[in-house]
Amino acid sequence: MSIEATVLRSWTGWIRRADREPYREYLERTGLREYRDTPGNLGAVLLYRDVEDDRTEVRTLSLWRSREDIVAFAGQDIEAAVFYPEDDRYLIDRQTTVEHFDVPWSDVRSG
């Protein structure tokens, strides 16, 4: 098995706890699908964590072969978060930038 460096892309937002399932369904149709359909994407996941004031922190993590592959998804400014038309319906707060981490190895297995 060859080991290749990859890039992890992380974005965080906050929703109402009651919107957990509708927001998951919405993300599956929009951002997560677009991640997964972009060449060079190695997978994407959605994480939830309940926080104060009846809010849920939402984090998307996506794994990419390279920063160049992320450009195909996010455009030239890969530090800018990508938003979709109905995001304002669900998000009560959000990061407008994303973080990228170099992953020196991966054990990503194909289905």
Side-chain angles (χ1 to χ4, degrees):
M1 171 185 186
S2 101
I3 297 175
E4 297 180 26
T6 54
V7 180
L8 180 96
R9 179 178 170 91
S10 174
W11 171 83
T12 304
W14 293 265
I15 61 172
R16 289 167 208 80
R17 247 178 239 164
D19 286 336
R20 284 175 72 132
E21 185 59 17
Y23 189 63
R24 183 197 64 76
E25 292 171 356
Y26 169 69
L27 278 182
E28 287 291 344
R29 293 189 316 270
T30 58
L32 293 174
R33 175 178 286 165
E34 193 171 339
Y35 282 157
R36 294 173 182 141
D37 288 348
T38 303
N41 178 263
L42 302 173
V45 296
L46 171 64
L47 306 173
Y48 281 146
R49 177 173 67 163
D50 290 339
V51 293
E52 72 283 345
D53 301 328
D54 201 38
R55 296 183 318 148
T56 294
E57 180 180 323
V58 176
R59 185 164 303 195
T60 60
L61 301 176
S62 55
L63 199 58
W64 300 83
R65 284 185 311 207
S66 70
R67 282 175 167 72
E68 291 77 24
D69 290 322
I70 296 171
V71 169
F73 165 74
Q76 288 298 319
D77 182 5
I78 66 169
E79 303 299 321
V82 175
F83 294 105
Y84 295 88
E86 293 183 49
D87 282 341
D88 289 341
R89 176 179 168 194
Y90 296 105
L91 294 168
I92 56 178
D93 199 3
R94 69 186 91 184
Q95 291 181 336
T96 57
T97 59
V98 297
E99 298 174 302
H100 294 94
F101 300 88
D102 293 326
V103 181
W105 60 271
S106 68
D107 189 16
V108 177
R109 296 180 173 112
S110 58

